[in-house]
Amino acid sequence: MSPLRRPARPAGAGFRPLARGATVLAAALALLSPLAGIAPAAPRAAGAADAEVQVNAQASLGRLSGTARGVNTAIWDSHMNDPEVARLMKAADVGAMRYPGGSYADIYHWQTHTAPGGYIAPGTGFDSFMDTVRATGAQPIVIANYGSGTPEEAAGWVRYANVTKNYGAKYWEIGNEIYGNGHYGSGWENDEHADKSPQEYARQVRAYAAAMKAVDPTVKIGAVLTAPGEWPDGVVGDGDPGDWNHTVLSQVADVVDFVSVHWYAGGSDTTAQDATARLARLPGELREVRSQIDRYAGTGSPRIGIALTEINANTGGARLTARPNGLFAADAFMTAMENGVFSVDWWNTHNGGGGITTVDGETDYGDMGMLSSGACTADVCEPAPNTPFHPYYGMKMTSELGTAGDTMVAAASSAQDVSAHAVLRRDGRLSVLLVNKNPDAARTVDLAYAGFTPSGTAPKVSRYARGDSDITEVTGGEASASQVTVPPYALLTVTLEPRAGTGPGASTAATPGTPRLEAVTDTTARLSWEGATGATRYLVQERDGVHTRLAGETTGTSVTLRNLPPGSTHTVDVLAADASGRLSAPSSPLTFTTGTPADATCAVTYHRDTGWGNGFVATVTVRNLSDTAITGWTVDWDWPTDRQSVSSGWGATFHQTGSHVRVTAPEGAGPLAPDGGSTASFGFVGANDGPDPDPTVFRLNGTVCSGG
C-alpha cells in the first residue's frame, strides 16, 4: 500500500478514505511418510491432467476461527446498514465487521457521532452498525480513536457497548494506521499528539488498555503494526530506539491481545496471476510478524493473535471489481488464514467508484468495495447498490471450503496458474479449493491425498466461473475424487466424503491440544500439549511443505525432539492414536526455531543499522573464542527468504549464491586473536522484496557461532 494514499471525494458525498494450519507406530509411519502417504485416491478420470494437487490431511495449518472472514464498514457509507448487506454477509459466513472505517477512526467521536473534517452518512451510528452485525451473526472489530481521542473516551465506548447495551464487542484496536502520522515523512493518518513517535504510541496503548479493561476485562486490545517489508518497516525515526514494530512490541507485548496489520498487493495489473504472484510475499511477512511477537512476548506469544484488518489487491487502478480480483480475494483470504491470521477483513463493503476500465470483457469500476455503492464516475454508473462484485463471490467461495472449527491442511499445486487450499471438516469430509488464474484455458487437475481416503461417492462440486451469477453447485460432469477440470478464470471447490471406517471420524481419540514450546536449545526442543480423550499414544510430526514425517512418539503428553540443526525452523503438530491405532485429526501447528550453541568457539553479532522498507544497512562483528588464533577467515550465512540479498559491502569480500552468503577476510587482514582478544567487522547494504528477517546461524570457517 502506498504511504501517499489520500482520501478521494465520491460523487455527491464528503471525503472517503481509499484505505484501506499391525502397531500404532507402524500404522502412523505408513500414513505420515511423504513417499507412501500421497497417492492418487482412485482410478483417474479420462483425459490427461496438466496439473497435480497434493493434499495432506494430517499437515495442519490451524483452525478456522469464527471471525475468519471479515469486511470493513465505514461511517461515510450510506448503504452500510442496508438490510441487504446483512443478508449477503450472512450468506458468505462473514464473522467480523470492522468499524468506523479506516482512517476515519482517528477523527471519529462515538458519543456525538461526529468526524470533524470528514463526512458522516445518515444512519451509520454505532447502534445501527451493531444491528447489522447482529443480523449478520458477526463480531464487531471496533477502532478506538487514537488520533484525536483519549483513553477515557475509548473506555466510555466500551462501557456503552458492553455494559449499557450488552453488545459483547470483543475486539478493540487502538487507532488505524498510526505509523502514517508523518513521523516517517509521509502522513495521511490524523494524530494530534505532539509526540508522534512509536514510543508515544506504545505509552498510549498501555493507557488505553488499562482504561478499557478496567471497564470490561474481557475485551481484546489490538495494537497497530506495519507489514514487514512494506513501508515504513525498517525505518528508524530520529531519537527512536528501533523501527515501528520493534519499538511498539517491546513496550506493549504484555498488555495487548492481538496486533492489526494491513496488506495490499500493489500494482495496477489486470491479471489474477499478477496479483497472486505478489500474494506470495504474504506468508513470509506474516511469519515475520509472529517472529517479532515471539521475540517480545516470549511464552505469552500464543495468546497474541494477528488480524489482517485491511486487505485488497491495491489502493487504486484496475482489477478491483473485475473477476481477477475475485480470484485474488479467495486466494488471499485462505493464504492469510493458513498463515496464522484469525480475521481477514476486506477493504471495503462499499467504497465508491474510481477509474473506469475494461477487464476480462467487463467494466471494472475501480471500486475497492465488495458490493456496489451505486456511484457514478462521469457518465458511467455502477449497478444498483449492494450488487455483489467479484471479490464478494471470492470470499463467499471460501465459506464453501470450511467454517469455524474446521482444520486447514496443506495443499500444493504443480502449476503456477492453479492455486490450491484444503480444509478437513469436523465431520470428516475434505474440501479442496482450486483457483484457475489462466484466463484462456481450463485446467485438468489430478488430486492426490495423504491421511485421507475418499469414498466412492461422487464429490460435491461448487463453481464460480464466467456465466455464473453466484456460487453454483455442479451436478454430473467428469469430476471425481482423483481428477477435476477447472474452467478458465474460475474457482472450484470439491468436497469429498471419507471411505467408511477411515479418517479422524473413525478414531475414538479426540484431537490433541496445540503443542507448546517448553524449552529449546541449539539441538533440542521440548514440547508439551493438552491430552486427548481416548488417546493411547501421541505422534508428533514435522511438516515440510505438503509432506510430513514422524518426529517423535510417546504415551505421555510431552516429548523432546533431539539432533535438530542449530538455527533451524520447524513446524510440528500432534495426532492422537486410539487403542486400534486409528488417528485423530491433527492439532493446530507450532513453529519454533532452535538457537545457537552457548559454548561455541566463535561469536557473531548481526546489527541492523538502518532500513527503508526494501533495503537496509547492517554491520557484522566476529570474535574468535577458541584458544588458537585464526588467520584467513570466512563467515557464512543463509538468508531466511529467497528475496534477500547483499547489494554492496565494505571491510571484506562478499559473494552470494542463491540465498547463501560467504564473506571473506580482506587481503592483508590480521589474525583473529584467541579468547576474543580481537574482532573483525564488516558492513553491507542489503536489499529485500517483502519480509527481511535476520539470519539465524553464522559460521566462522565452517563452525557454528553463538549469537546472531
Side-chain angles (χ1 to χ4, degrees):
M1 63 188 258
S2 168
L4 298 178
R5 187 175 58 227
R6 291 291 186 273
R9 182 185 294 273
F15 286 105
R16 302 182 184 183
L18 286 177
R20 11 213 221 248
T23 66
V24 172
L25 181 57
L29 285 169
L31 286 168
L32 299 178
S33 166
L35 298 177
I38 294 180
R44 295 178 177 176
D50 43 26
E52 181 180 34
V53 166
Q54 298 181 339
V55 179
N56 190 334
Q58 294 175 331
S60 172
L61 304 179
R63 303 273 187 271
L64 286 168
S65 74
T67 54
R69 281 167 285 272
V71 294
N72 278 269
T73 60
I75 54 175
W76 39 258
D77 172 15
S78 61
H79 295 289
M80 66 173 282
N81 294 314
D82 290 354
E84 187 71 0
V85 172
R87 186 192 69 78
L88 287 165
M89 296 307 169
K90 188 177 184 69
D93 194 33
V94 165
M97 304 184 82
R98 184 172 179 254
Y99 177 91
S103 296
Y104 259 53
D106 287 306
I107 61 173
Y108 179 66
H109 300 282
W110 72 274
Q111 283 181 300
T112 57
H113 190 48
T114 58
Y119 168 79
I120 294 180
T124 59
F126 182 60
D127 288 319
S128 296
F129 164 70
M130 285 305 305
D131 287 344
T132 300
V133 169
R134 289 182 296 179
T136 301
Q139 173 71 224
I141 298 178
V142 184
I143 318 170
N145 184 342
Y146 175 85
S148 59
T150 65
E152 293 72 27
E153 181 181 20
W157 200 352
V158 173
R159 181 177 295 106
Y160 178 79
N162 293 352
V163 178
T164 303
K165 301 294 288 189
N166 198 30
Y167 286 145
K170 184 176 181 180
Y171 298 102
W172 298 76
E173 291 179 65
I174 311 304
N176 184 53
E177 297 172 346
I178 304 301
Y179 48 81
N181 61 6
H183 183 68
Y184 298 110
S186 292
W188 63 87
E189 199 75 15
N190 181 58
D191 183 0
E192 298 177 8
H193 296 85
D195 183 351
K196 294 179 171 52
S197 69
Q199 299 99 303
E200 178 62 16
Y201 176 70
R203 286 191 289 268
Q204 291 290 338
V205 166
R206 298 189 69 88
Y208 273 72
M212 297 164 78
K213 290 197 173 191
V215 174
D216 181 355
T218 70
V219 297
K220 303 296 185 183
I221 303 299
V224 173
L225 296 186
T226 68
E230 311 290 339
W231 189 96
D233 177 54
V235 180
V236 179
D238 291 342
D240 294 343
D243 66 6
W244 182 272
N245 285 10
H246 290 86
T247 301
V248 170
L249 281 172
S250 68
Q251 298 179 40
V252 307
D254 60 324
V255 299
V256 298
D257 305 286
F258 69 99
V259 297
S260 171
V261 179
H262 294 174
W263 195 86
Y264 293 85
S268 58
D269 305 286
T270 59
T271 71
Q273 282 184 270
D274 291 327
T276 53
R278 285 186 285 274
L279 188 61
R281 301 195 312 258
L282 183 58
E285 296 188 23
L286 293 172
R287 283 194 297 271
E288 182 62 10
V289 172
R290 175 52 62 187
S291 177
Q292 292 171 358
I293 296 171
D294 290 344
R295 175 176 176 178
Y296 295 107
T299 57
S301 179
R303 70 170 181 81
I304 300 177
I306 301 172
L308 197 59
T309 53
E310 288 185 22
I311 189 169
N312 206 313
N314 54 51
T315 56
R319 198 196 61 248
L320 289 169
T321 67
R323 185 172 300 276
N325 208 20
L327 305 183
F328 171 83
D331 227 357
F333 270 90
M334 292 310 306
T335 298
M337 291 185 282
E338 290 163 352
N339 285 277
V341 172
F342 72 85
S343 186
V344 187
D345 309 321
W346 190 261
W347 184 273
N348 200 5
T349 300
H350 309 91
N351 202 72
I356 305 298
T357 56
T358 299
V359 180
D360 193 40
E362 299 177 307
T363 299
D364 188 296
Y365 299 96
D367 188 323
M368 299 177 72
M370 281 198 159
L371 308 179
S372 170
S373 64
C376 299
T377 301
D379 59 348
V380 179
C381 293
E382 295 183 1
N386 299 314
T387 301
F389 291 133
H390 290 293
Y392 169 80
Y393 293 113
M395 177 180 68
K396 186 178 182 182
M397 180 61 93
T398 68
S399 68
E400 294 285 318
L401 188 61
T403 58
D406 293 340
T407 302
M408 296 171 287
V409 295
S413 170
S414 65
Q416 287 189 340
D417 59 4
V418 176
S419 293
H421 306 277
V423 170
L424 181 65
R425 304 292 193 108
R426 285 164 295 168
D427 60 10
R429 294 178 300 156
L430 181 72
S431 294
V432 183
L433 168 64
L434 302 172
V435 184
N436 182 4
K437 295 166 282 189
N438 190 310
D440 303 315
R443 285 287 179 256
T444 299
V445 181
D446 279 347
L447 299 171
Y449 312 93
F452 181 82
T453 305
S455 73
T457 304
K460 174 191 173 186
V461 180
S462 300
R463 183 193 68 207
Y464 185 64
R466 291 174 177 136
D468 293 332
S469 59
D470 202 339
I471 307 300
T472 302
E473 186 168 342
V474 180
T475 57
E478 298 181 357
S480 72
S482 60
Q483 190 180 88
V484 295
T485 298
V486 189
Y489 255 20
L491 303 169
L492 198 74
T493 296
V494 181
T495 299
L496 307 155
E497 301 283 346
R499 182 181 297 173
T502 69
S507 176
T508 59
T511 304
T514 305
R516 300 181 297 268
L517 182 64
E518 302 289 352
V520 64
T521 70
D522 56 324
T523 60
T524 67
R526 181 170 178 78
L527 312 176
S528 67
W529 54 90
E530 294 293 329
T533 57
T536 61
R537 187 177 299 267
Y538 297 95
L539 307 171
V540 179
Q541 60 175 2
E542 179 171 4
R543 174 170 61 85
D544 180 11
V546 76
H547 298 293
T548 53
R549 68 173 185 85
L550 189 65
E553 54 95 13
T554 180
T555 56
T557 56
S558 65
V559 71
T560 299
L561 306 181
R562 304 183 185 278
N563 301 316
L564 305 174
S568 57
T569 299
H570 306 266
T571 298
V572 297
D573 59 31
V574 182
L575 298 97
D578 66 12
S580 299
R582 294 169 300 197
L583 299 176
S584 71
S587 72
S588 291
L590 167 72
T591 298
F592 66 89
T593 300
T594 57
T596 54
D599 57 352
T601 58
C602 55
V604 170
T605 301
Y606 179 88
H607 183 265
R608 191 180 302 273
D609 304 324
T610 188
W612 49 92
N614 62 354
F616 60 98
V617 176
T619 299
V620 180
T621 303
V622 185
R623 287 186 298 151
N624 169 26
L625 303 181
S626 72
D627 57 8
T628 305
I630 296 178
T631 302
W633 51 263
T634 60
V635 174
D636 292 81
W637 72 83
D638 291 287
W639 292 117
T641 80
D642 60 2
R643 297 171 183 266
Q644 296 169 280
S645 61
V646 174
S647 299
S648 60
W650 52 91
T653 300
F654 294 78
H655 181 73
Q656 180 167 339
T657 303
S659 61
H660 183 78
V661 179
R662 169 159 288 186
V663 183
T664 306
E667 187 175 343
L672 279 171
D675 302 318
S678 65
T679 63
S681 293
F682 53 86
F684 63 91
V685 176
N688 59 286
D689 178 14
D692 187 27
D694 293 346
T696 56
V697 171
F698 293 85
R699 289 176 168 82
L700 176 63
N701 289 356
T703 298
V704 176
C705 300
S706 63

